[in-house]
């Protein structure tokens, strides 16, 4: 139902055209066509068709000053006529769609096919009784009637477990999607907008805005609907989101009054009448084209076919539906406001382009998963081949059985069984749980971060935060409380250390001061009575202005009556505050027709423009440059050194005739008379110094970037603990910063930035571009071995670029503008710096959770794969059956990822330095644990497999015929295996080699419940699993043994923890498996656990040799073509062609090279020496950078591409292969090989 009411806006809006929209003076389509015009044509159309903005307001039945009355019926009628301000979201994927997507997994498909074949064959009985003998040993246990009946169980069980896996995956995706939508709707509900209703200014959620509302717009807003400007001051809009033009567009009533939804207000303020909302606004129209409205279109076509009468019915029904189901609709889908919808779309775009680059962790994980997958594929293929060969040789060669047609199904059944074993090896080897663990852990963190006041907009930001090495923070509101109070002032040549009594000031100065502050500030800024008794008064609007208004109140005056005398419409001209002017001025017309301009702003900037100052009696006296210097030294610097923000207030009178040219700002904003200088205090938040100390302990440098005066900034930085007296650091202002980083031409140079940023702690009086330059400079810097990961906080519109550029952008939830929120990754709902520290903690926790999961997962993988592989090779049957493997896979993947990914963070996370971007995912401690536990489990399992029957005095389960009943022997192996995994899961909770693995285990109820739940399930499976799980019930004694062997894991864990890493030299290499060494699984199988450098060099030699040969071959080809080319022209053409197509030749070389490489591989003896190339079918010679750690070369390709593209282009023209599809790494190493004249290949070429 919710859907229905939403998706019908569109159709209804189309229908309403003709009837002049239910008593309004214009229809939706009229307004839509009006909003499509721009500039002068829009003004003309407004005048001609509507009689200007006033006429438009009349037709929309609204008042330009008082707004709508706001009665229910009227609002409903408007929503009915002009639509609601929501863009119906795309429908979420249904559960079935998610199930279908989960089924696309290749390994699952292979399993399903195998299971189906196995099912089909189990129902086939060969004709005749003699089969048993005639098919030889193959028909081992088929005679037993009851058993052959049960042949279908295995196939069915596999299918069932596949269904389980699919459902679990789909459910996880579904809940993730649901959470994300919840988050999205939370972000949208946060967005409110100021609207005038019944002459009161109220804050409304964006979705409640209707056509005809009068909206107040100000600097930093993101417009929620289309509208026409009624009155504006110095309004500039960034329309790039719609037009792509980055220049700001000036808006005013005379020339261009059209305001469009989804655009940003960059400067100024004003009021507009809303004309189009939701799908009819400009953004909405674009969305509909994009296909958010596809469903509506379809419905519309269907509706067209229904008769008109029904149509009427539907409409009235719908109104009912809408009323009853308003709530349901809200719950059913987070309704998108026009802006929310846009955010979502941007989100999608961002995700597809992936903000900056794929998140570090995802990069590392994808790489790891691919590598493990390749290893697993190799292993499973080898398993199947060995099984098939062994069976064939045993049956047809050793026993010389002929292949009989009637026996074919039985043989096929065997082959299917082998195939299934192979597939299970693959299933266990491939860590499907990795992506799952990442999403669970991110989703969990995001949910919990909401409680810590972090609203995460992009999932990966959460994990990037854990790697942060630098935070560039704003001062106001983040480090400080953002409650401004005026504490000192300088009026009439006297510096008052606290606010003076009004009687102490001359009446004239007081009058000017009060008027100047009251009128020259945004009228939306107010000081309201406190919410609860005895609290502080509530500050609304710009906090600095609130501080000044507070000064007026302390001087026992009131600003409201003055504002009522001169309402906002009567202000003659307003120069709003922006980061370039650093001041704000308002011009009013005096009763005698002359003009007076009030101005306020940063003291050193406004004082420069003052030529007079008021003396103690309120008369203006000349203000000479040396007076200015003295004032700066005696008044402004002392105030700033106390950490106060200094604001200078001034004014200037203009004659009425001739009227000044208001556009010529430079001549208007000079020659002012200073009234006073105010020192405004913004106290440091009490929890900030502690939070900053934590950051510094955690290896994160905090830098303060502020627009304030350098002395103020330094004073606050010392209070916060960003700088400690006596340290070697830089505090500079924007001018000095630019002087140091720009060359003579005024361009920014990276080397110069590199000299500045490491010591820089405070950047004062910075412009937004400085902030952006600094962030970009730190991120692009190559000085440190790790790339810096930078987080930035911002609240103003001007912080947008820096927030976007940073790895993680934090926007302020309370003080932040919509523009800043839009550009950010995380919104701090309490504007507090200490919440950033929480974000760091959560980010590191995500990273650790995934490492914990990896440590657990890889142990299981290594063991299961080796057991299945060797078991299959030696006993022709995997000790762990397909269904058992799937169960292990299920518990290990899904539940373990849930259990380990939901560990809550601890303070100890902040005691270590950040992991770098190219630190291996698998540290040496983890490798030690994986290999150590792997050895323990393998020893136990192989002992049980080969001598278990003697120990427990039971029948051996080895070499059992095809459909034989499950044996106790193999059940014990399976059970012990699972017990060991369970206890190893507890070991996996710690990855830094801590002793106490139970530390804080009860703080994580999910973990406990999962361990106990899995244990219970295991009991059920073993005791009642029977044939499908190939289990035989065990008695208590055997159970005790299984649990005891499992508990051994915990003891063994302590043993491993006592081995110092330094003893295990080779582990350093393992944790950093260089590109060639692949993963431990294979190394354990092939007996070359260590591949030493000599061998690696040798390989590179072989490769280069191959390459040289191929090069020669191709060149000989070319020479031959030359010879055969009869006419001379032919040769010329060929020469030309060969130069232009050196790329194609290159491709041919690579292909030839690959083929020759594989020829080399096929020879059995060379297999081990170059066996790894098999696992890299695309074959990269990455040895050219052997130092990059394997398991996680973060963004390997981009890094390498950077490295290579910056090489000076070598004489060899092959560099254009960068554009062609050849794998770049091959290419550059080739050009390197061929272009260094010393290399033997080069001489070969030349001699040729």
């Amino acid at each position: 139902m919710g859907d229905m009411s939403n998706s019908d806006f569109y159709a209804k809006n189309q229908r309403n055209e003709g009837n002049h929209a239910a008593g309004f003076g214009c229809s939706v389509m009229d307004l839509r066509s009006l909003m499509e015009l721009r500039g002068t044509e829009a003004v003309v159309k407004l005048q001609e068709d509507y009689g200007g903005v006033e006429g438009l307001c009349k037709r929309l039945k609204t008042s330009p000053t008082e707004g709508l009355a706001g009665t229910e019926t009227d609002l409903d009628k408007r929503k009915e006529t002009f639509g609601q301000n929501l863009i119906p979201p795309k429908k979420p994927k249904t559960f079935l769609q998610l199930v279908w997507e989960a089924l696309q997994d290749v390994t699952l498909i292979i399993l399903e096919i195998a299971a189906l074949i196995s099912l089909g064959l189990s129902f086939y009985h060969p004709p005749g009784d003699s089969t048993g003998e005639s098919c030889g040993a193959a028909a081992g246990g088929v005679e037993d009637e009851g058993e052959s009946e049960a042949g279908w169980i295995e196939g069915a069980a596999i299918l069932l477990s596949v269904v389980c896996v699919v459902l679990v995956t789909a459910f996880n995706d579904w809940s993730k999607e649901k959470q994300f939508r919840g988050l999205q709707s939370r972000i949208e509900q946060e967005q409110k907008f100021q609207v005038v209703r019944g002459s009161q200014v109220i804050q409304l959620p964006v979705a409640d805005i209707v056509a005809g509302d009068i909206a107040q717009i100000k600097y930093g807003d993101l417009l929620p609907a289309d509208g026409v400007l009624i009155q504006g001051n110095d309004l500039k809009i960034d329309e790039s989101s719609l037009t792509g033009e980055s220049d700001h567009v000036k808006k005013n009533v005379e020339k261009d009054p059209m305001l469009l939804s989804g655009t940003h207000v960059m400067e100024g303020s004003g009021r507009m009448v809303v004309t189009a909302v939701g799908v009819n606004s400009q953004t909405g129209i674009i969305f509909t084209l994009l296909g958010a409205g596809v469903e509506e279109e379809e419905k519309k076509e269907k509706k067209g076919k229904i008769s008109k009468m029904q149509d009427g019915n539907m409409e009235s029904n719908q109104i009912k539906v809408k009323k009853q189901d308003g709530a349901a609709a809200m719950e059913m889908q987070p309704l998108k406001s026009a802006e929310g919808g846009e955010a979502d779309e941007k989100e999608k775009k961002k995700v597809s382009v992936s903000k900056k680059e794929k998140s570090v962790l995802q990069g590392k994980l994808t790489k790891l998963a691919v590598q493990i997958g390749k290893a697993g594929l190799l292993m499973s293929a080898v398993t199947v081949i060995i099984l098939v060969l062994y069976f064939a040789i045993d049956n047809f060669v050793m026993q010389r059985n002929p292949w009989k047609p009637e026996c074919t199904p039985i043989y096929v059944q065997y082959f299917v069984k082998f195939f299934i074993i192979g597939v299970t090896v693959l299933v266990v080897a491939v860590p499907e749980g990795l992506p799952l663990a990442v999403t669970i852990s991110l989703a969990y963190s995001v949910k919990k971060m909401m409680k810590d006041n972090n609203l995460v907009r992009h999932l990966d930001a959460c994990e990037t935060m854990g790697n942060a090495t630098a935070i560039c923070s704003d001062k106001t509101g983040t480090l400080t409380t953002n409650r401004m109070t005026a504490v000192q002032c300088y009026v009439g040549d006297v510096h008052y250390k606290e606010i003076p009594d009004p009687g102490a000031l001359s009446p004239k100065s007081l009058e000017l001061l009060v008027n100047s502050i009251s009128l020259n500030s945004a009228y939306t800024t107010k000081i309201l009575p406190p919410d609860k008794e005895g609290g502080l008064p509530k500050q609304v609007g710009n906090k600095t202005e609130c501080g000044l208004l507070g000064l007026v109140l302390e001087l026992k005056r009131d600003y409201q009556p003055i504002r009522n005398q001169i309402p906002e419409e009567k202000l003659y001209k307003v120069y709003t505050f922006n980061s370039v002017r650093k001041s704000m001025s308002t011009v009013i017309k005096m009763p005698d027709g002359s003009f007076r301009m009030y101005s306020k702003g940063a003291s050193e900037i406004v004082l420069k423009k003052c030529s007079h100052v008021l003396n103690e009696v309120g008369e203006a006296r000349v203000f000479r440059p040396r007076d200015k210097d003295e004032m700066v030294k005696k008044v402004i610097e002392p105030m700033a050194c106390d950490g106060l923000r200094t604001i200078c207030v001034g004014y200037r009178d203009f004659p009425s005739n001739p009227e000044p040219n208001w556009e010529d700002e430079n001549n208007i904003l000079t020659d002012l008379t200073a009234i006073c200088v105010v020192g405004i205090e913004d106290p440091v938040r009490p929890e900030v110094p502690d939070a900053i100390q934590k950051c510094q302990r955690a290896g994160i440098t905090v830098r303060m970037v502020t627009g304030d005066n350098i002395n103020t900034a330094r004073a606050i930085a010392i209070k916060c603990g960003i700088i400690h007296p006596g340290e070697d650091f830089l505090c500079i202002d924007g001018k000095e910063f630019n002087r140091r980083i720009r060359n003579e031409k005024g361009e920014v140079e990276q080397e110069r930035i590199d000299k500045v940023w490491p010591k820089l702690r405070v950047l004062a009086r910075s412009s937004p571009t400085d902030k952006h330059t600094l962030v970009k400079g730190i991120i692009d810097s190559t000085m440190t071995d790790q790339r810096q990961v930078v987080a930035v906080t911002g609240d103003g519109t001007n912080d947008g670029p820096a927030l976007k550029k940073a790895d993680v952008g934090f926007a302020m939830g309370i003080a932040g503008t919509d523009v800043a929120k839009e550009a950010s990754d995380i919104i701090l709902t309490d504007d507090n710096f200490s919440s950033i520290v929480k974000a760091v903690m959560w980010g590191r926790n995500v990273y650790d959770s995934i490492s914990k999961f990896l440590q657990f997962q890889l142990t299981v993988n290594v063991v299961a794969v080796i057991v299945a592989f060797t078991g299959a090779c030696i006993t022709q049957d995997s000790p762990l059956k397909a269904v058992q493997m799937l169960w292990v896979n299920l518990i290990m993947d899904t539940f373990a990822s849930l259990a380990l990914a939901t560990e809550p963070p601890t303070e100890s996370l902040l005691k270590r330095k950040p992991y770098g971007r190219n630190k291996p995912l698998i540290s040496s401690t983890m490798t030690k644990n994986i290999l150590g536990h792997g050895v323990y489990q393998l020893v136990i399992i192989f002992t049980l497999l080969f001598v278990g029957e003697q120990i427990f005095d039971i029948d051996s389960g080895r070499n059992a015929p095809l459909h034989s009943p499950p044996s106790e022997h193999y059940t014990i192996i399976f059970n012990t295996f699972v017990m060991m995994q369970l206890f190893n899961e507890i070991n996996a909770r710690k990855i830094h080699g801590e002793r106490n693995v139970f530390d804080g285990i009860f703080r994580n109820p999910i973990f406990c419940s999962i361990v106990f739940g899995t244990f219970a399930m295991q009991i059920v499976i073993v005791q009642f699993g029977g044939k499908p799980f190939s289990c035989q019930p065990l008695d208590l004694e055997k159970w005790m043994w299984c649990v005891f062997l499992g508990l051994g894991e915990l003891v063994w864990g302590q043993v491993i923890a006592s081995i110092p890493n330094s003893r295990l030299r080779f582990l350093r290499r393992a944790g950093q498996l260089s590109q060639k060494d692949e993963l431990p699984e294979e190394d354990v199988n092939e007996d070359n656990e260590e591949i030493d450098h000599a061998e690696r060099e040798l390989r590179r030699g072989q490769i280069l040799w191959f390459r040289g040969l191929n090069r020669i071959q191709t060149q000989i080809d070319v020479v031959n073509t030359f010879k055969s080319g009869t006419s001379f022209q032919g040769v010329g053409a060929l020469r030309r062609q060969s130069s232009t197509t050196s790329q194609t030749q290159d491709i041919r070389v690579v292909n030839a090279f690959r083929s020759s490489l594989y020829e080399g591989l096929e020879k059995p003896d060379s297999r081990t020496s170059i066996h790894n190339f098999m696992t890299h079918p695309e074959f990269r010679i990455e040895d050219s950078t052997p130092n990059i750690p394997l398991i996680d070369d973060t963004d390997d390709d981009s890094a390498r591409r950077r490295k290579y593209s910056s090489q000076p282009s070598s004489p060899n023209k092959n560099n254009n292969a960068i554009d062609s599809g050849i794998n770049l790494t091959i290419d550059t190493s080739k050009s390197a090989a061929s272009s260094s004249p010393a290399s033997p290949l080069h001489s070969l070429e030349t001699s040729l």
Side-chain angles (χ1 to χ4, degrees), residues 831-846:
D831 288 17
N832 192 337
F833 186 83
S834 59
S835 304
I836 298 179
V837 182
K838 297 253 179 61
V840 172
M841 214 154 83
W842 276 107
R844 293 187 170 188
N845 191 48
V846 168

Side-chain angles (χ1 to χ4, degrees), residues 470-473 771 775 790-794 799 802-803 806-811:
I471 299 177
C472 295
S473 171
K771 193 170 185 177
V775 172
V790 183
V792 169
T793 67
D799 292 328
L803 287 172
D807 295 287
V808 182
F810 286 92

Side-chain angles (χ1 to χ4, degrees), residues 475-655:
K475 174 176 82 73
T476 314
T478 317
L479 301 173
T480 58
T481 53
N482 207 5
R483 264 201 76 86
M484 306 275 190
T485 36
V487 288
Q488 298 186 16
C489 64
Y490 175 93
V491 189
D493 293 342
V494 186
H495 184 176
Y496 298 93
K497 292 287 183 180
E498 53 248 9
I499 301 301
D501 188 65
L505 307 178
S506 69
K508 196 172 167 199
S509 305
L510 189 60
E511 186 62 24
L512 273 168
L513 176 60
V514 171
N515 277 347
S516 175
I517 291 175
S518 308
L519 297 173
N520 182 28
S521 57
Y523 278 26
T524 48
T525 303
K526 301 186 185 70
I527 292 185
L528 303 176
D531 287 341
K532 44 184 181 292
E533 277 303 303
L536 292 166
K538 219 164 95 180
Q539 298 188 339
V540 181
N542 183 316
K543 297 296 191 278
T544 312
E545 289 180 352
C546 286
L548 292 169
L549 292 176
L551 173 67
V552 170
L553 296 176
E554 283 197 42
L555 293 169
K556 314 281 185 291
R557 295 302 182 87
D558 190 4
Y559 58 88
Q560 205 50 53
I562 304 176
R563 285 184 174 181
N564 295 346
Q565 250 177 3
I566 305 183
E568 204 168 358
E569 299 80 74
K570 295 226 183 113
L571 297 179
Y572 197 81
K573 171 100 180 105
V574 178
Y575 299 96
T576 50
F577 181 91
N578 66 25
S579 50
V580 180
R581 288 192 189 119
K582 291 236 189 267
S583 66
M584 168 180 181
S585 312
T586 303
V587 181
I588 55 169
K589 206 168 186 170
M590 304 298 275
D592 61 0
S594 66
F595 299 101
R596 171 170 288 172
M597 176 178 77
Y598 293 115
S599 197
K600 67 161 194 280
S603 51
E604 56 261 52
I605 291 179
V606 177
L607 279 179
K608 277 200 192 105
K609 299 176 176 165
C610 291
S611 56
H612 294 77
V613 62
L614 293 185
N615 60 12
E616 58 277 15
V617 290
E619 299 296 328
R621 65 176 172 81
V622 175
F623 191 46
R624 296 184 304 263
R626 67 159 194 271
D627 298 340
K628 285 183 194 169
D629 295 342
E630 193 180 344
M631 184 146 166
V632 167
K633 279 201 189 70
K634 296 260 173 69
V635 180
I636 293 174
E637 284 190 0
M639 279 188 186
C641 290
D642 292 341
L644 303 183
R645 170 178 275 197
T646 52
I647 301 287
C648 177
V649 182
Y651 78 102
R652 177 182 176 184
D653 286 329
F654 295 99

Side-chain angles (χ1 to χ4, degrees), residues 807-865:
D807 295 287
V808 182
F810 286 92
M812 301 297 140
I814 306 169
T817 54
D818 296 339
V819 183
K821 290 179 186 171
E822 191 59 21
S824 69
D825 302 299
I826 298 180
I827 297 174
L828 295 177
T829 48
D830 63 346
D831 288 17
N832 192 337
F833 186 83
S834 59
S835 304
I836 298 179
V837 182
K838 297 253 179 61
V840 172
M841 214 154 83
W842 276 107
R844 293 187 170 188
N845 191 48
V846 168
Y847 213 92
D848 277 7
S849 298
I850 283 157
S851 298
K852 288 171 190 170
F853 175 67
L854 261 176
Q855 176 175 310
F856 173 70
Q857 168 98 49
L858 289 178
T859 314
V860 184
N861 280 7
V862 171
V863 174
V865 169

Side-chain angles (χ1 to χ4, degrees), residues 69-246:
T71 56
E72 270 304 299
T73 46
D74 179 47
L75 295 180
D76 285 342
K77 191 168 159 195
R78 284 174 192 274
K79 285 183 184 168
E80 187 49 44
T81 314
F82 299 108
Q84 277 174 295
N85 196 18
L86 327 152
I87 291 177
K90 286 203 173 92
K91 282 205 188 75
K93 284 186 176 141
T94 58
F95 188 67
L96 286 175
Q97 279 169 307
L98 292 169
V99 168
W100 177 243
E101 277 176 20
L103 277 170
Q104 310 297 312
D105 187 9
V106 186
T107 40
L108 286 182
I109 294 175
I110 299 176
L111 259 186
E112 287 155 27
I113 295 171
L116 287 172
I117 297 177
S118 149
L119 257 182
L121 288 168
S122 66
F123 293 123
Y124 175 88
H125 295 297
D129 301 321
S130 58
T131 349
E133 295 75 58
S134 61
C135 291
V142 184
E143 305 93 318
D144 185 350
E145 258 318 291
E147 279 311 323
S148 62
E149 290 305 304
W152 59 275
I153 290 183
E154 190 177 31
I158 292 180
L159 284 181
L160 193 70
S161 45
V162 166
V163 169
C164 285
V165 173
V166 166
L167 288 176
V168 170
T169 320
F171 179 74
N172 268 311
D173 286 348
W174 180 77
S175 53
K176 186 179 80 193
E177 174 109 346
K178 189 161 149 246
Q179 241 176 10
F180 190 70
R181 283 186 173 258
L183 186 73
Q184 203 51 42
S185 66
R186 163 87 191 257
I187 292 175
E188 268 123 46
Q189 282 153 14
E190 298 248 308
Q191 210 221 346
K192 294 203 160 48
F193 211 79
Q194 289 193 326
V195 175
V196 182
R197 283 207 180 153
S199 57
Q200 288 292 316
V201 178
I202 55 169
Q203 294 262 342
L204 266 190
V206 169
D208 294 349
I209 292 176
V210 294
D213 261 325
I214 305 297
Q216 290 202 336
I217 55 178
K218 58 179 189 310
Y219 156 90
D221 283 341
L222 193 147
L223 299 182
D226 290 356
V228 178
L229 191 63
I230 302 176
Q231 167 263 324
N233 305 323
D234 200 15
L235 197 59
K236 288 191 185 143
I237 306 274
D238 171 14
E239 294 192 344
S240 58
S241 59
L242 282 180
T243 58
E245 298 292 327
S246 55

Side-chain angles (χ1 to χ4, degrees), residues 936 940 944 951-952 972 975-977 979-980 983 1034-1048:
Y936 173 80
I940 299 279
L944 286 177
I951 300 174
F952 289 109
I972 292 178
N975 200 15
T976 310
F977 181 65
M979 289 302 122
M980 291 194 292
F983 288 104
L1034 301 176
D1035 56 27
L1036 190 62
E1037 187 198 352
K1038 297 197 180 73
W1039 261 102
M1040 288 331 255
W1041 272 105
C1042 293
V1043 176
F1044 171 73
L1045 290 171
L1047 276 168

